[in-house]
Amino acid sequence: MPQFRLSEAARLLGVSDDTVRRWVRAGQLTASEDAVGRKVVDGAQLAGFARAQASGPEDPSAVGRSARNRFVGLVTEVVADKVMAQVELQCGAHRVVSLMSTEAVRELGLRPGVLAVAVVKATTVVVETPEGSR
């Protein structure tokens, strides 16, 4: 069963070590001690907690679609030539890059600071684990 030290849990959740300690004191997360006496959180519990805590901005598009992966964020950069463009969005902690036509960039009014939604529909998603985590 994977376990994560409180500092590792904090990095994975994108918060400070103190925040994780507060959650443990408040009973929102359960910590135990590992073999050397360090406070650790069970990986499965941490995963459930991460899912429950995850909140992003509401998708403003109000469009029905089959794609489930929507990332709401701000356009941070647009690099365009005559035909093609690269659009970068910052969606929370995640950077999403899209290649599209320059015509689409103009039609959508994409420029730094604009609110946008990256919609990802992929048949292939590669999942990797760090060495030694098995």
Side-chain angles (χ1 to χ4, degrees):
M1 182 86 55
Q3 295 180 325
F4 296 93
R5 293 190 323 257
L6 297 189
S7 61
E8 293 172 320
R11 277 194 303 280
L12 290 167
L13 296 171
V15 298
S16 71
D17 297 7
D18 287 338
T19 297
V20 173
R21 283 189 208 92
R22 278 193 295 276
W23 286 335
V24 168
R25 280 193 302 271
Q28 294 175 278
L29 272 173
T30 303
S32 58
E33 288 190 1
D34 65 8
V36 295
R38 296 177 299 198
K39 294 270 189 192
V40 292
V41 177
D42 171 73
Q45 182 196 12
L46 186 61
F49 185 79
R51 175 178 269 180
Q53 291 294 308
S55 65
E58 193 78 21
D59 184 341
S61 61
V63 173
R65 62 179 70 90
S66 64
R68 296 291 176 242
N69 301 307
R70 298 180 188 139
F71 303 95
V72 179
L74 293 172
V75 175
T76 56
E77 185 175 15
V78 176
V79 178
D81 63 18
K82 186 174 179 156
V83 177
M84 293 300 294
Q86 176 179 307
V87 178
E88 182 176 309
L89 287 87
Q90 193 65 41
C91 304
H94 305 284
R95 175 178 168 256
V96 178
V97 178
S98 177
L99 301 176
M100 65 184 74
S101 70
T102 299
E103 178 182 20
V105 168
R106 278 193 308 272
E107 287 176 1
L108 294 171
L110 299 176
R111 63 188 182 287
V114 169
L115 178 67
V117 180
V119 179
V120 179
K121 177 98 176 185
T123 57
T124 303
V125 176
V126 177
V127 176
E128 301 175 335
T129 59
E131 188 173 327
S133 68
R134 292 175 211 110

